[in-house]
């Protein structure tokens, strides 16, 4: 006789019940969650303890204060000890709320379901996820005791800031073990898992306190906490531990954890914890001295030989949300300003058309590009005329750098920058134009630091190294191999010339003065940069052993108030380089020659050159021509014109003039630098008639003035002191009254009063021999 068929609904129910008996995976064991990754410095000092899904420490129920358990059950699941893992009433209430809203909003989760959600690692809140959580919760309740489930919750749930488990949270937020928590501290921690980022006490203390009060209310309603005690505790301040004590070098540690492969138990990094602490202190102390418009800074220190990161300050305060402290200034993209100029000069020197002694024009310049016209200006707002390349780079003058960029071409310039390691310059050459040499592209501080290591290393840059070795759970130690250095495209001799220029305090003095933050007591090639509108400050320095790069600014991009790379980033660079100490002298490579030149022309000194300076050159580029900029002329002392055969020898002066090319003559006149006369007095006598010119001005007496002779005072004492101005290049300056020349120097001339109408003029001669007169002053003298 056939057996009756089992109805399929009953079969499904039976299958569901049988599925509850499916054994739990081994990962459910409470201690499975506590295998952490220790990130340590180069000496084994702990920087951070973490795991892929968060920092964790093992804890048993006996090691947790009873107030924690009471607060947990009262807040999250007051029926915990009476339901089988799922609370039907709570689910029914949540289902009704979700149906009314048309989406999953309330879950009705029990503590067991929260553990199930954590074990599954699912963040979605779909209906299927809720059913899967409920099924796993029922299995947990079948296989585990309530105490085991509580222990799982205490070890697995996220408490924010990369922390999982109550023990790690207690150490992070209060610097103590979970067994030593007060009722108020327990209440604050128990409230965090509902939304760890929203209630983060470091970033949102008021929200965390409000959530803490919710926990106090739940404890009072459960009868665990008297109401008067609840009110007293709610008024107590919360004293959080300094997060830095539990999380050293936070930006660096996060970066390393992101780069690590697998789940090692320890990552031994290249960082030096003591240097890191000093770097952080230097950054914060200097920011405190700056204008309040400056809120952030970043710094990185590299070992030039190995590329190892020794110090890494991503921001002054990782936990300060107001300044965006969790932004990483070492690896963000910002405009570097003049900090990239050395790579323009590397290309210029490599072309062998330029040497450190070459004269570059620092004159008013109009640049026409696809994006429009612009006129580069120097930081001091001045033009410096003819400038040696050495001085132009060391003093960071903008106009000579733009002149070079135009000569070299933006395509070649961009290729040079990219080969130097600035790979984030991913736009076209037309996009940047010659403004690339002024830092209009975005780079990373770390990349710029690495590019500068190539200058100290003779043209090759090491791969950045952050991990020395890691240890697996099985105890195996995996050493991180050294990657080979890369070619920066900079010849060793060119790299040495750049370090020689950037470590020359005399060449830096015209732009920055002496004894400032860029000057160090040992060889260090340093460079600063300031981006447009003072939004970014940079300072980079390299010695033969170390490279340090510093950025100062605001993460939101707001401008600073007149804070330059020297005043903003420079002092931090100086302090860090001094902390690292001297690295010796830069190694002199082959292919370098030294020679003495005239600094005004960059050529071999002539007999008349007043100064001579030793300079370095690429082999084969030492100039052979002799300087002709300095010339001696015989001048008639009376007129300032060339002396001739009629000039008495006693009135002849031998004067030295520096004569730059004609393109500089207007600049020379503006700066009072005399050009030699080209004519004698005899030539002037036969030249064209007097021409009126605004280059001469009578300042006193004023035209139209009337004076009266005193009948008592002796006539010899009644004199007018004449005063006027003239352009500095004019010669043979003299005062004339009614066509008669006064026999007195222009600066001290005076005239005895006599009744009548008079015409007073100031006259002179241009270096080319043109006779000029200023507008006359008409005066009346009454007797």
């Amino acid at each position: 006789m056939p057996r009756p068929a089992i109805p399929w609904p009953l079969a499904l129910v039976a299958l569901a019940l049988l599925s509850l008996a499916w054994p739990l995976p081994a990962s459910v064991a409470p201690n499975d969650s506590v295998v952490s990754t220790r990130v340590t410095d180069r000496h084994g000092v702990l920087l951070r303890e973490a795991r892929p899904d968060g920092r964790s420490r093992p804890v048993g129920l006996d090691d947790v204060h009873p107030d924690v358990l009471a607060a947990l059950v009262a807040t999250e699941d007051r029926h915990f000890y009476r339901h089988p893992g799922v609370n039907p009433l709570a689910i029914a209430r949540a289902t009704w709320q979700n149906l009314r809203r048309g989406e999953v909003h309330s879950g009705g989760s029990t503590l067991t379901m929260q553990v199930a959600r954590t074990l599954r690692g699912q963040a979605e809140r779909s209906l299927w996820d809720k059913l899967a959580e409920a099924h796993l919760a029922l299995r947990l309740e079948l296989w585990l005791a309530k105490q085991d489930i509580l222990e799982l919750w205490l070890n697995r749930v996220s408490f924010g800031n990369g922390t999982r488990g109550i023990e790690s949270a207690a150490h992070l937020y209060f610097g103590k073990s979970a067994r030593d928590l007060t009722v108020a501290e327990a209440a604050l921690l128990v409230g965090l898992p509902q939304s760890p980022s929203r209630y983060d006490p470091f970033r949102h203390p008021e929200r965390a306190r409000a959530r803490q009060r919710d926990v106090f209310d739940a404890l009072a309603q459960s009868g665990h906490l008297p109401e008067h005690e609840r009110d007293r505790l709610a008024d107590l301040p919360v004293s959080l531990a300094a997060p830095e004590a539990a999380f050293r070098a936070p930006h660096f540690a996060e970066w390393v954890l992101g780069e690590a492969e697998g789940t090692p138990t320890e990552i031994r990094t290249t960082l030096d914890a003591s240097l890191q602490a000093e770097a952080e202190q230097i950054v914060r102390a200097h920011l405190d001295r700056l204008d309040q418009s400056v809120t952030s800074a970043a710094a990185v220190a590299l070992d030039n030989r190995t590329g190892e990161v020794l110090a890494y300050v991503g921001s002054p305060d990782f936990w300060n949300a107001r300044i965006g402290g969790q932004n990483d200034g070492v690896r963000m993209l910002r405009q570097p300003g003049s900090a990239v100029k050395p790579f323009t000069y590397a290309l210029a020197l490599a072309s062998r058309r330029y040497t450190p002694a070459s004269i570059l024009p620092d004159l008013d310049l109009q640049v026409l590009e696809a994006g429009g016209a612009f006129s580069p200006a120097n930081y001091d707002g001045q033009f410096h005329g003819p400038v040696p390349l050495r001085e132009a780079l060391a003093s960071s003058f903008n106009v000579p750098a733009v002149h070079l960029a135009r000569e070299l071409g933006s395509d070649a310039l961009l290729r040079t920058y990219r080969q130097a390691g600035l790979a984030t310059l991913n736009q076209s050459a037309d996009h940047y134009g010659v403004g690339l040499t002024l830092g209009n592209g975005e780079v990373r501080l770390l990349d710029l630091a690495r590019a500068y290591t190539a200058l100290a290393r003779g043209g090759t840059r090491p791969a950045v190294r952050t991990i020395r070795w890691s240890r697996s759970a099985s105890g195996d130690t995996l050493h991180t191999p050294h990657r080979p250095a890369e070619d920066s495209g900079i010849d060793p001799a060119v790299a040495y010339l750049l370090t020689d220029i950037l470590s020359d305090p005399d060449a830096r003095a015209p732009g920055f003065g002496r004894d400032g933050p860029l000057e160090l007591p040992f060889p260090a090639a340093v460079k600063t940069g300031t981006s447009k509108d003072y939004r970014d400050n940079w300072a980079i320095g390299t010695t033969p052993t170390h490279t340090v790069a510093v950025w100062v600014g605001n993460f939101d991009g707001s401008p600073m108030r007149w804070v330059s790379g020297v005043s903003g980033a420079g002092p931090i660079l100086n302090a860090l380089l001094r902390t690292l100490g001297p690295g010796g002298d830069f190694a002199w490579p082959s292919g370098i020659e030294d020679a003495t030149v005239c600094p005004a022309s960059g050529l071999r000194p002539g007999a008349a050159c007043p100064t001579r300076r030793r300079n370095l050159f690429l082999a084969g580029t030492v100039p052979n021509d002799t300087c002709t900029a300095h010339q001696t002329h015989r001048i008639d002392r009376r007129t300032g014109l060339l002396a001739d055969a009629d000039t008495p020898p006693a009135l002849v002066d031998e004067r030295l003039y520096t004569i730059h090319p004609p393109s500089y003559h207007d600049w020379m006149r503006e700066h009072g630098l005399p050009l030699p006369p080209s004519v004698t007095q005899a030539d002037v006598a036969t030249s064209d008639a007097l021409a009126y010119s605004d280059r001469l001005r009578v300042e006193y007496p004023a035209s139209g003035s009337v004076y009266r002779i005193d009948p008592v005072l002796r006539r010899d004492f009644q004199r007018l002191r004449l005063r006027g101005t003239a352009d500095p290049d004019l010669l043979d300056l003299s005062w004339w009254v009614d066509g008669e020349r006064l026999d007195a120097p222009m600066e001290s001339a005076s005239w005895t009063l006599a009744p009548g109408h008079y015409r007073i003029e100031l006259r002179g001669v241009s270096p080319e021999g043109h006779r000029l007169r200023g507008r006359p002053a008409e005066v009346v003298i009454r007797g």
Side-chain angles (χ1 to χ4, degrees):
M1 171 173 192
R3 289 180 295 177
I6 300 175
W8 64 267
L10 292 178
L12 287 178
V13 171
L15 184 61
L17 291 174
L18 287 174
S19 69
L20 297 178
W22 183 17
L24 297 173
S27 61
V28 171
N31 285 341
D32 181 70
S33 67
V34 300
V35 178
S36 298
T37 297
R38 289 169 51 86
V39 181
T40 57
D41 89 326
R42 65 194 302 113
H43 304 298
V45 176
L46 181 65
L47 301 177
R48 183 181 177 186
E49 187 175 0
R51 54 180 283 116
D53 58 350
R55 179 188 310 107
S56 180
R57 297 189 184 196
V59 66
L61 291 188
D62 293 340
D63 293 324
V64 177
H65 196 284
D67 287 335
V68 173
L69 301 178
L72 172 59
V73 173
T75 304
E76 294 293 335
D77 189 359
R78 56 194 178 93
H79 301 294
F80 174 70
Y81 291 103
R82 297 193 294 274
H83 63 64
V86 176
N87 187 338
L89 293 178
I91 291 178
R93 182 176 63 253
T95 302
W96 172 247
Q97 292 175 352
N98 294 335
L99 289 173
R100 291 183 61 188
R101 292 175 178 266
E103 60 180 353
V104 176
H105 179 77
S106 176
S109 295
T110 63
L111 278 173
T112 314
M113 292 177 68
Q114 292 177 29
V115 171
R117 183 186 312 136
T118 301
L119 292 174
R120 294 183 69 244
Q122 299 291 328
E124 294 84 357
R125 295 174 62 85
S126 67
L127 179 59
W128 171 251
D129 290 318
K130 301 305 295 183
L131 290 174
E133 285 174 14
H135 182 268
L136 181 54
L138 292 171
R139 290 170 59 204
L140 289 170
E141 292 277 353
L142 181 64
W143 287 90
L144 300 176
K146 290 286 187 180
Q147 302 303 311
D148 294 332
I149 294 171
L150 283 177
E151 190 168 317
L152 274 173
W153 193 98
L154 292 171
N155 282 291
R156 293 296 186 96
V157 170
S158 171
F159 286 80
N161 289 303
T163 301
R164 289 190 179 274
I166 191 74
E167 182 70 7
S168 289
H171 280 277
L172 174 66
Y173 296 115
F174 297 111
K176 61 174 66 173
S177 174
R179 72 166 63 91
D180 299 321
L181 292 171
T182 65
V183 176
E185 292 167 345
L188 185 131
L189 292 185
V190 166
L192 298 183
Q194 185 184 79
S195 182
S197 60
R198 176 176 175 78
Y199 299 127
D200 184 345
F202 291 138
R203 305 175 71 180
H204 307 294
E206 291 305 316
R207 294 179 188 172
R209 289 298 303 276
R211 177 62 178 156
Q212 181 194 44
R213 287 190 286 272
D214 292 341
V215 178
F216 287 147
D217 290 341
L219 281 168
Q221 291 174 8
S222 68
H224 188 84
L225 188 68
E227 291 193 5
H228 69 276
E229 183 68 5
R230 175 195 63 186
D231 297 336
R232 185 186 70 82
L233 291 174
D235 292 333
L236 290 177
V238 175
S239 299
L240 297 174
E244 293 83 2
F247 195 179
R248 295 183 178 92
H251 297 89
F252 177 78
E254 286 202 338
W255 180 30
V256 167
L257 285 167
E259 296 290 315
E261 298 182 0
T263 55
T265 58
E266 182 179 355
I267 301 174
R268 180 62 58 88
T269 71
T270 62
L271 203 78
D272 187 318
S274 61
L275 177 64
Q276 175 73 18
E278 190 155 359
E280 291 175 356
Q281 193 277 330
I282 288 170
V283 167
R284 293 183 187 124
H286 181 61
L287 283 179
D288 289 342
R289 291 191 291 268
L290 288 177
D291 186 277
Q292 291 183 353
S293 65
V294 187
T295 61
S296 296
V300 64
L302 302 178
D303 183 310
N304 288 344
R305 184 180 64 84
T306 62
E308 292 182 339
V309 176
L310 303 177
Y312 189 111
V313 183
S315 76
D317 186 353
F318 184 83
W319 308 100
N320 189 334
R322 182 183 62 82
I323 66 171
Q326 295 193 21
N327 289 304
D328 187 349
V330 174
R331 292 186 294 146
M332 70 179 177
L333 290 173
R334 298 298 280 254
Q335 290 189 348
S338 297
V340 294
K341 279 180 187 170
F343 305 103
T344 297
Y345 286 85
L347 180 59
L349 293 170
S351 74
R352 305 179 73 85
R353 303 198 305 268
Y354 297 92
T355 74
S358 296
I359 302 301
L360 301 177
D362 189 357
L363 302 170
D364 191 11
L365 179 65
Q366 190 81 353
V367 180
L368 299 177
E369 292 192 317
F374 76 97
S375 295
N378 294 315
Y379 173 69
D380 60 5
Q382 304 292 320
F383 296 109
H384 305 92
V387 180
L389 182 148
R390 171 179 289 272
E391 182 180 301
L393 172 57
S395 293
S396 197
F397 295 148
N398 287 334
V399 181
V402 172
H403 168 81
L404 281 180
R406 295 177 72 190
E407 291 290 323
L408 299 168
S410 56
D411 287 307
L413 202 63
L414 182 57
R415 285 195 300 271
T416 299
Y417 279 34
R418 286 174 177 168
Q419 191 168 3
L422 306 180
T424 56
L425 298 173
N426 52 20
Q427 300 292 328
S428 67
D430 289 340
H431 173 82
Y432 299 114
V434 297
L436 185 61
T437 193
L438 302 182
N440 67 359
E442 292 186 328
V443 303
R444 301 191 308 170
L445 187 68
L446 181 63
D447 292 341
L448 196 56
R450 187 171 170 235
Y452 270 73
T453 64
L455 304 183
R457 288 169 48 97
T460 63
R461 62 178 183 275
V464 172
R465 191 164 185 246
T466 59
I467 300 174
R468 288 189 153 191
W469 51 260
S470 60
R471 183 168 290 129
S472 67
S474 61
D476 296 327
T477 300
L478 307 176
H479 290 274
T480 303
H482 285 272
R483 288 182 289 167
E486 299 174 354
D487 181 14
S488 288
I490 301 175
D491 182 81
V494 171
Y496 182 80
L497 290 182
L498 292 173
T499 59
D500 183 66
I501 292 170
L502 293 174
S503 58
D504 183 350
D506 292 327
R508 194 186 308 121
F512 302 104
R514 291 299 303 268
D515 302 321
L518 301 185
E519 199 155 333
L520 289 141
F522 47 80
V526 296
K527 187 72 187 70
T528 63
T530 303
S531 68
K532 186 179 179 182
D533 298 329
Y534 295 88
R535 297 180 187 277
D536 304 276
N537 287 172
W538 305 69
I540 299 93
T542 186
T543 70
T545 55
H546 298 104
T547 296
V548 174
V550 179
W551 168 86
V552 170
N554 298 309
F555 286 126
D556 63 5
S558 59
M560 297 168 283
R561 298 193 188 101
W562 308 105
V563 179
S564 69
V566 177
S567 61
I572 298 175
L573 175 72
N574 184 292
L576 288 174
L577 285 174
R578 287 176 182 267
T579 300
L580 289 166
D585 295 319
F586 292 101
W588 183 301
S590 60
I592 295 288
E593 299 179 7
D594 65 336
T596 300
V597 297
C598 172
S601 64
L603 304 177
R604 294 282 189 179
C609 292
T611 57
R612 297 153 189 247
R613 187 169 297 162
R614 176 180 170 273
N615 221 320
L616 301 182
F617 300 86
L618 296 179
T621 65
V622 175
N624 295 316
D625 295 335
T626 301
C627 173
T628 59
H630 296 100
Q631 301 176 13
T632 301
H633 292 266
R634 300 175 69 252
I635 303 299
D636 187 323
R637 191 184 305 162
R638 298 168 299 180
T639 64
L641 300 172
L642 290 176
D644 57 18
D646 295 330
T647 306
L651 298 179
V652 175
D653 284 340
E654 294 281 344
R655 295 184 186 175
L656 180 65
Y657 292 87
T658 302
I659 308 172
H660 296 292
S663 59
Y664 296 101
H665 287 183
D666 286 343
W667 175 85
M668 293 178 66
R669 293 188 186 97
E670 291 174 6
H671 290 77
L673 302 177
L675 289 166
S678 58
V679 294
T680 65
Q681 184 63 45
D683 296 328
V684 173
T686 60
S687 67
D688 54 0
L690 281 166
Y692 284 110
S693 172
D694 290 336
R695 299 173 68 185
L696 302 108
R697 293 163 294 281
V698 177
E699 293 186 346
Y700 187 83
S703 187
S705 298
V706 178
Y707 298 89
R708 186 176 297 276
I709 296 176
D710 190 320
V712 177
L713 189 64
R714 286 174 52 184
R715 289 291 182 90
D716 292 346
F717 294 108
Q718 300 191 55
R719 304 175 66 85
L720 275 182
R721 179 69 180 270
L722 305 180
R723 187 171 70 248
T725 58
D727 284 4
D729 64 332
L730 296 183
L731 308 169
D732 194 23
L733 297 170
S734 57
W735 288 100
W736 294 68
V737 179
D738 281 356
E740 296 290 333
R741 178 170 177 157
L742 300 184
D743 188 17
M746 169 196 160
E747 296 82 6
S748 59
S750 62
W751 171 60
T752 304
L753 300 181
H757 290 70
Y758 297 94
R759 180 185 180 91
I760 301 174
E761 291 181 329
L762 182 58
R763 297 182 184 179
V765 178
S766 71
E768 298 78 22
H770 302 302
R771 296 192 296 163
L772 306 175
R773 69 201 313 179
R775 299 295 170 182
E778 305 278 353
V779 300
V780 176
I781 311 298
R782 300 190 186 279

